[in-house]
Amino acid sequence: MSQIKQNKNDSITRQEDDFAQWYTDVCKKAQLMDYSSVKGFIDYLPYGYAIWEEIRNYCNRRFKEVGSENVYLPLVIPQSLFATEKEHVEGFAPECLVCTIGGNEKLNDPLIIRPTSEILFSELFRKMVSSYRDLPKVYNQWCSVVRWEKTTRPFLRGAEFLWQEGHCLFETAEQAEENALKVLDIYDDIGKELLAVPFVKGVKTAHERFAGAVNTYSIEALMPDGKALQAGTTHCLGQGFAKAAKIQFLGRDQKLNTPYQTSWGVSTRLIGAMIMAHGDDNGLVLPPYVAPIQAVIVPIRMDKEPRVLEEANRIKAKLESLGVRVKLDDSDKTPGWKFAEWEMKGVPLRIECGPRDLENNTLSLSKRYNGEKSVLSIDELDQVPAILKSIHEGMYQKSLELLNNSITEVHSMEELKAALDKGGYAKLMWNENEELEMKIKELTNGGTARCYPFDAKPFGDTNPLTGEKADKVIYFAKAY
Amino acid sequence: MSQIKQNKNDSITRQEDDFAQWYTDVCKKAQLMDYSSVKGFIDYLPYGYAIWEEIRNYCNRRFKEVGSENVYLPLVIPQSLFATEKEHVEGFAPECLVCTIGGNEKLNDPLIIRPTSEILFSELFRKMVSSYRDLPKVYNQWCSVVRWEKTTRPFLRGAEFLWQEGHCLFETAEQAEENALKVLDIYDDIGKELLAVPFVKGVKTAHERFAGAVNTYSIEALMPDGKALQAGTTHCLGQGFAKAAKIQFLGRDQKLNTPYQTSWGVSTRLIGAMIMAHGDDNGLVLPPYVAPIQAVIVPIRMDKEPRVLEEANRIKAKLESLGVRVKLDDSDKTPGWKFAEWEMKGVPLRIECGPRDLENNTLSLSKRYNGEKSVLSIDELDQVPAILKSIHEGMYQKSLELLNNSITEVHSMEELKAALDKGGYAKLMWNENEELEMKIKELTNGGTARCYPFDAKPFGDTNPLTGEKADKVIYFAKAY
């Protein structure tokens, strides 16, 4: 075993030595992705892309609850059109990748690769909507977007990333608000039900809002290195984009009205959050409901005893019939090598099946996330889905405890600095104060207002940094 | 009824008046797509995109038979890299959309929006493959590609289209060939099992091959206007791309070998083929297995008799439990209006449910593709899946007869011209002759070699146009 340990440690940096390097090592060694031949762009390999497909399937199912329909709009936005919403263009212009040549000719109106599609959806809505009977419109698009970034990290920040973007139009501001909050709940459930990652749900400060939005809601994940990661956002866009695009509808009041818009998105960033939340020095640790392989069967001494492989195949078929995503590793590698490889790839449950197990009519199980070993009767294979459920719950609880232990109430700038240096959330009483937000970012070397969390109770009535009246709780953190 | 007829005829051009205009009318009026604000690019609306999702689900399921895994590679290809495979770059250069500015700065190496991804997959494979143990690689990607086209038609030809592109690497030429042919069979089955469109399967002439390929196989559909439509292709790329990318592997012979590559793709063009194959002057006619809505229930006199809507809801629930994609149109439009609307949208089966039907414990059915009406006992709703199957089969047979009646044996240039003017396939004996292919294109105003069909039997031993020996059957046609 010592040799295997060494193998594993050799191949990836230890978390405590360099968390950022550990992260990229795991992404590559677990074959989730590879760096492509295009600077800043990555290749999503099958094992990583399958995780994204699980997230997509989950979202497609849940988005039906808000009446969402999938569509696909163009990859590019004419520069002239992009410029119509002022704040929006200012927010995105520095990140744009721009096409200037088409079919060997210079384009009169250059085309911007979509960094997000609010503008195009507004144009579509103008054509489709003329009466309140045409509302609401609840559209969603799965695609990739491009934001020209100099520093990139797999899944977290890249020149191109995969995401979904919902774009909706409503008669009233209340309906728009309800949509944005309902989708935020669905995003929160992705963490609870799929990724085993608890999020903090809340509303952004004006300073941290999406360019052009009236309100931005977000889910924030806390990583083991103490940094926060914005994992998804929903935006109330008010009437700004609709006005810029001249969308109007004849209302129930027989007057021309301007509709209210929302947009919302999650991206492959969720994969990054999940990797960091659960991974350890032996590699990836996948929560079962998003794992491409939920259980791996490793046959022991299969070359010596043919019935081992026979039985392993029977077990595989049985587990498949129970809806378990199972892999039988019947390659000619040694069991020790297979253990290390599937640990690295984070498969939630390992099932060993050898001659001694079969004599006893049992199997040896090992849970990836906590190393817990147990024995299961072969007659009780139908327990495996419940075991996977217990793994999911155990992983979620572990992350939830980390989150709850990482929130510090602060009452002065010194405490705030100390809390942000230590890592985790600094919690304080606050009212909107953009100037102070920017000052804190400077003084704390990058601490930013993550959100006003929905579930935090006020613990005072003044902002301790200014002495001014304050009735809201805010979380600051350093962030990805 | 005459008023409804008039409505319908007003809204779309008749096929015999202008087939091309009929086609675009149907695409727009059935709300499959809309022209976007970006010239040459379309918006895929929910009803059209749902058809694409059905095709994608079918392919994902079937591609597993060739061991395919989904991945995602970058949207852009550096110009310097694109230039590595000579024939390939010459083939695609005139259609490229090129990015020259990123983050407000001029790019040193411009980025080409992928027109296809052979180059990027080759780069990935070079990193992943070093031994025969790493082969085969069978990867597939769902994405959009851009080819800068001046004339565009919805789904058939556009600056951007959605597709899947498979890219594979094998030890031997035989394995590559087997892969290309197996996938061609799957493509053929999309027609047989999903779109109810029969294809001609065959191999392309050298002149019509994919840029850089050794062999191109295709499925060709014949449209009611007598034009052929290339609906999918699979390519044996030989070792050309692998050599350009310097991919090598240590073979079973302990020597360095160059692997054999394939690529294959179908696109949203399939939707265009299906629309043209089945549509009529009343609009779209969808085959059931690809239809987003397979059956629509139209309640009659629902405002007068509340139990109509109650019963309609019960029928809807029952059909859903049978796996039928069903819509109950309980809007406040008149039944006549609803009939016309769902006819326009091509829903395969209409189910009317009114007070008189309920008295008799029956429902009135109407099949979209042939207008056939029938009566079904409410107790026999479980017949509906079988009825949908019979609709699929009827539609396929109808298209197959059209295809079989549209093949003309020709024995001279005059007969060839006449056959191509009439529409359909002109069938003749042939051996490779690129010069003559180009001459025929000129003389017949656009007739091209579609393929050497696999299932055609030789009916002579000379090419009638040259008198030279010929042992292969070829199909010429005018094409989209």
Side-chain angles (χ1 to χ4, degrees):
Chain A
M1 280 302 280
S2 71
Q3 205 185 344
I4 293 161
K5 278 276 180 219
Q6 202 186 329
N7 269 343
K8 288 189 285 188
N9 285 340
D10 272 0
S11 62
I12 50 171
T13 307
R14 283 148 42 111
Q15 289 193 335
E16 61 174 60
D17 291 342
D18 183 344
F19 191 78
Q21 188 57 46
W22 166 86
Y23 175 78
T24 42
D25 283 354
V26 166
C27 287
K28 279 201 64 174
K29 298 287 165 63
Q31 294 196 291
L32 297 174
M33 52 66 66
D34 203 346
Y35 291 103
S36 82
S37 313
V38 194
K39 196 167 175 299
F41 291 69
I42 66 170
D43 294 334
Y44 292 79
L45 298 185
Y47 201 59
Y49 195 74
I51 293 171
W52 183 237
E53 288 184 313
E54 288 298 331
I55 293 171
R56 191 166 64 188
N57 291 341
Y58 180 90
C59 287
N60 273 335
R61 199 168 64 243
R62 293 295 309 273
F63 288 167
K64 290 199 182 116
E65 293 170 21
V66 295
S68 171
E69 299 179 291
N70 284 342
V71 298
Y72 184 79
L73 268 53
L75 172 69
V76 290
I77 309 170
Q79 203 164 50
S80 60
L81 188 61
F82 195 74
T84 47
E85 216 289 339
K86 192 170 165 290
E87 275 184 67
H88 190 66
V89 66
E90 283 170 7
F92 282 102
E95 301 179 358
C96 285
L97 181 63
V98 187
C99 306
T100 58
I101 298 168
N104 288 328
E105 284 172 29
K106 188 163 179 288
L107 302 177
N108 289 327
D109 192 2
L111 296 170
I112 294 169
I113 312 285
R114 63 180 161 227
T116 180
S117 304
E118 274 74 10
I119 298 283
L120 290 181
F121 274 88
S122 298
E123 290 293 304
L124 173 62
F125 288 149
R126 182 182 58 233
K127 289 187 288 181
M128 299 192 85
V129 171
S130 58
S131 147
Y132 70 89
R133 287 174 207 270
D134 301 322
L135 297 174
K137 285 272 175 273
V138 183
Y139 283 173
N140 176 56
Q141 163 167 292
W142 293 94
C143 64
S144 81
V145 290
V146 170
R147 297 182 188 174
W148 198 251
E149 303 265 6
K150 298 251 162 166
T151 39
T152 64
R153 300 190 63 192
F155 305 120
L156 296 176
R157 190 174 290 278
E160 179 185 24
F161 56 88
L162 303 175
W163 81 343
Q164 59 70 218
E165 46 179 327
H167 295 272
C168 316
L169 215 56
F170 301 93
E171 280 184 78
T172 68
E174 291 70 30
Q175 289 168 338
E177 177 92 0
E178 188 191 0
N179 173 266
L181 288 171
K182 172 68 190 166
V183 173
L184 195 72
D185 283 342
I186 294 173
Y187 288 171
D188 195 36
D189 287 346
I190 298 174
K192 276 190 191 131
E193 299 181 0
L194 207 58
L195 308 179
V197 175
F199 296 123
V200 169
K201 263 192 300 190
V203 58
K204 290 279 186 189
T205 62
H207 185 60
E208 295 284 338
R209 258 177 222 149
F210 176 77
V214 169
N215 238 338
T216 289
Y217 300 106
S218 79
I219 48 167
E220 305 277 332
L222 191 68
M223 299 294 100
D225 64 352
K227 281 192 196 165
L229 177 76
Q230 179 177 298
T233 46
T234 72
H235 313 291
C236 286
L237 302 175
Q239 298 172 305
F241 286 88
K243 279 183 179 155
K246 302 188 173 59
I247 312 173
Q248 289 191 310
F249 68 97
L250 195 66
R252 294 170 203 268
D253 56 6
Q254 296 299 316
K255 289 180 189 154
L256 277 180
N257 289 271
T258 301
Y260 293 81
Q261 207 159 344
T262 65
S263 67
W264 26 271
V266 289
S267 74
T268 35
R269 231 173 194 227
L270 287 172
I271 299 177
M274 179 203 67
I275 294 166
M276 287 197 279
H278 301 304
D280 64 23
D281 284 343
N282 293 329
L284 200 59
V285 181
L286 291 177
Y289 295 129
V290 83
I293 302 169
Q294 297 177 311
V296 61
I297 304 171
V298 178
I300 313 290
R301 294 176 60 85
M302 65 176 191
D303 46 338
K304 303 286 193 312
E305 309 231 13
R307 74 189 185 102
V308 165
L309 209 50
E310 276 167 39
E311 188 65 15
N313 269 302
R314 210 190 56 79
I315 291 163
K316 178 179 179 235
K318 172 70 182 171
L319 289 177
E320 276 172 348
S321 78
L322 292 165
V324 177
R325 296 189 289 267
V326 60
K327 159 106 188 162
L328 166 58
D329 186 350
D330 56 3
S331 67
D332 57 6
K333 297 167 193 159
T334 66
W337 180 270
K338 292 177 187 177
F339 287 8
E341 181 165 9
W342 296 112
E343 260 182 59
M344 165 71 83
K345 293 197 122 184
V347 174
L349 187 65
R350 185 179 73 217
I351 301 174
E352 295 161 46
C353 168
R356 205 173 333 166
D357 299 297
L358 297 184
E359 253 167 51
N360 300 328
N361 198 42
T362 59
L363 298 167
S364 304
L365 306 186
S366 176
K367 294 181 182 174
R368 173 66 180 90
Y369 89 102
N370 63 1
E372 189 185 288
K373 302 212 165 23
S374 61
V375 167
L376 184 75
S377 161
I378 292 185
D379 304 328
E380 289 178 341
L381 280 171
D382 54 5
Q383 292 299 308
V384 169
I387 293 169
L388 293 174
K389 184 160 185 273
S390 77
I391 292 173
H392 173 84
E393 286 164 358
M395 291 178 73
Y396 183 78
Q397 279 309 316
K398 196 175 160 184
S399 298
L400 188 59
E401 276 161 35
L402 180 77
L403 169 60
N404 288 336
N405 293 333
S406 305
I407 304 170
T408 311
E409 271 187 31
V410 300
H411 305 89
S412 67
M413 187 61 87
E414 284 64 42
E415 285 183 20
L416 175 62
K417 277 194 226 172
L420 294 186
D421 281 345
K422 192 185 66 177
Y425 292 115
K427 175 181 179 180
L428 70 166
M429 292 306 298
W430 193 269
N431 269 356
E432 281 286 283
N433 188 333
E434 197 162 348
E435 210 175 317
L436 186 54
E437 265 181 85
M438 292 194 285
K439 194 171 149 199
I440 287 172
K441 189 167 183 181
E442 209 186 296
L443 289 174
T444 61
N445 193 20
T448 50
R450 302 319 305 158
C451 68
Y452 299 107
F454 290 154
D455 67 354
K457 290 202 185 69
F459 56 100
D461 58 8
T462 46
N463 178 333
L465 309 184
T466 62
E468 288 167 2
K469 284 277 163 205
D471 58 7
K472 283 185 281 196
V473 177
I474 198 167
Y475 284 2
F476 271 82
K478 295 189 182 176
Y480 276 88
Chain B
M1 280 303 281
S2 71
Q3 205 184 345
I4 293 161
K5 279 276 180 220
Q6 202 186 328
N7 269 342
K8 288 190 282 188
N9 285 342
D10 273 0
S11 61
I12 51 172
T13 307
R14 282 150 41 113
Q15 289 193 335
E16 61 174 60
D17 291 342
D18 183 345
F19 190 78
Q21 188 58 46
W22 166 86
Y23 175 78
T24 42
D25 283 356
V26 166
C27 287
K28 279 200 65 174
K29 296 288 164 61
Q31 292 197 292
L32 297 174
M33 51 65 66
D34 203 346
Y35 291 103
S36 81
S37 313
V38 194
K39 196 165 174 303
F41 292 68
I42 66 169
D43 294 334
Y44 292 80
L45 298 186
Y47 200 58
Y49 194 74
I51 292 171
W52 182 238
E53 287 183 314
E54 288 299 331
I55 293 171
R56 192 165 63 187
N57 291 342
Y58 180 90
C59 287
N60 273 334
R61 200 170 61 243
R62 292 296 308 274
F63 288 167
K64 289 200 182 116
E65 293 169 22
V66 294
S68 171
E69 300 179 290
N70 284 341
V71 298
Y72 184 80
L73 268 52
L75 171 69
V76 290
I77 309 171
Q79 205 164 49
S80 59
L81 188 63
F82 195 73
T84 49
E85 217 288 340
K86 192 170 165 293
E87 273 185 68
H88 189 67
V89 65
E90 282 169 8
F92 282 102
E95 300 180 357
C96 286
L97 181 62
V98 187
C99 307
T100 58
I101 297 169
N104 288 328
E105 285 171 28
K106 187 161 178 292
L107 302 176
N108 289 328
D109 193 2
L111 297 170
I112 294 170
I113 311 285
R114 63 178 162 229
T116 179
S117 304
E118 275 74 9
I119 298 281
L120 290 180
F121 275 88
S122 298
E123 290 292 305
L124 172 62
F125 288 149
R126 184 184 55 232
K127 289 187 287 182
M128 298 191 87
V129 171
S130 58
S131 148
Y132 70 90
R133 289 172 206 269
D134 302 322
L135 297 174
K137 285 273 175 275
V138 183
Y139 284 174
N140 176 57
Q141 161 167 294
W142 293 94
C143 64
S144 81
V145 289
V146 170
R147 297 181 189 175
W148 198 249
E149 304 265 6
K150 299 250 162 165
T151 38
T152 65
R153 298 191 65 193
F155 306 119
L156 295 176
R157 192 173 289 278
E160 180 186 22
F161 56 88
L162 302 176
W163 80 345
Q164 60 70 217
E165 46 179 326
H167 295 272
C168 315
L169 215 56
F170 301 92
E171 278 185 80
T172 68
E174 292 70 31
Q175 289 169 339
E177 178 93 359
E178 189 191 2
N179 172 266
L181 288 172
K182 172 67 190 167
V183 173
L184 195 71
D185 283 342
I186 294 173
Y187 288 170
D188 195 37
D189 287 346
I190 298 174
K192 277 192 190 128
E193 301 182 359
L194 207 58
L195 307 180
V197 175
F199 296 123
V200 170
K201 264 194 298 190
V203 59
K204 289 280 185 189
T205 63
H207 186 61
E208 295 283 338
R209 257 177 223 149
F210 176 76
V214 168
N215 238 338
T216 290
Y217 301 106
S218 78
I219 48 168
E220 306 276 332
L222 190 69
M223 299 295 100
D225 63 352
K227 281 193 196 162
L229 178 75
Q230 179 178 297
T233 47
T234 73
H235 313 291
C236 286
L237 301 176
Q239 298 173 305
F241 286 88
K243 279 183 179 156
K246 303 187 171 61
I247 311 174
Q248 287 191 311
F249 69 96
L250 194 65
R252 293 169 204 269
D253 56 4
Q254 296 300 315
K255 289 180 190 154
L256 277 180
N257 289 271
T258 301
Y260 294 81
Q261 206 160 344
T262 65
S263 67
W264 26 272
V266 289
S267 74
T268 37
R269 231 175 194 223
L270 287 173
I271 299 177
M274 179 203 66
I275 294 167
M276 287 197 281
H278 302 302
D280 65 23
D281 284 343
N282 293 330
L284 200 59
V285 181
L286 291 178
Y289 296 129
V290 83
I293 301 169
Q294 297 177 312
V296 61
I297 304 169
V298 178
I300 313 290
R301 293 176 61 85
M302 66 175 192
D303 46 337
K304 301 287 191 316
E305 308 232 11
R307 75 189 184 102
V308 165
L309 208 50
E310 275 166 39
E311 188 64 16
N313 269 302
R314 209 188 58 77
I315 291 163
K316 178 180 180 237
K318 171 73 181 168
L319 289 176
E320 277 172 348
S321 78
L322 292 165
V324 177
R325 295 189 289 268
V326 59
K327 160 107 189 160
L328 166 58
D329 186 351
D330 56 2
S331 67
D332 58 5
K333 298 166 193 161
T334 66
W337 180 269
K338 291 178 189 177
F339 288 7
E341 180 164 9
W342 295 112
E343 259 181 59
M344 165 71 83
K345 294 197 123 185
V347 174
L349 187 65
R350 184 178 74 215
I351 301 173
E352 295 161 44
C353 168
R356 204 172 336 163
D357 299 297
L358 297 185
E359 253 166 51
N360 300 328
N361 197 42
T362 59
L363 299 166
S364 304
L365 307 187
S366 176
K367 294 182 183 173
R368 174 65 180 89
Y369 88 101
N370 62 359
E372 187 186 290
K373 300 210 167 25
S374 60
V375 166
L376 185 74
S377 160
I378 292 187
D379 304 327
E380 290 178 341
L381 280 172
D382 53 5
Q383 293 299 307
V384 170
I387 294 169
L388 293 174
K389 183 160 185 274
S390 77
I391 292 173
H392 173 83
E393 286 164 358
M395 291 178 73
Y396 183 78
Q397 279 309 318
K398 194 175 162 184
S399 297
L400 187 60
E401 276 161 37
L402 180 76
L403 169 61
N404 289 335
N405 293 333
S406 306
I407 304 170
T408 311
E409 272 186 29
V410 301
H411 305 88
S412 67
M413 188 60 88
E414 285 62 43
E415 284 183 20
L416 175 62
K417 277 194 224 172
L420 294 187
D421 280 346
K422 191 186 67 177
Y425 293 113
K427 176 181 180 179
L428 69 166
M429 291 307 297
W430 192 269
N431 268 356
E432 281 287 283
N433 188 336
E434 196 161 350
E435 210 174 314
L436 186 55
E437 264 183 84
M438 293 193 285
K439 193 171 151 199
I440 288 172
K441 189 168 181 178
E442 207 185 299
L443 289 174
T444 61
N445 194 19
T448 51
R450 302 319 306 155
C451 66
Y452 298 107
F454 291 152
D455 67 353
K457 292 203 182 67
F459 56 101
D461 56 8
T462 46
N463 180 333
L465 308 184
T466 63
E468 289 168 0
K469 285 276 163 208
D471 58 4
K472 285 186 279 193
V473 177
I474 199 166
Y475 283 3
F476 272 81
K478 296 191 180 174
Y480 277 89

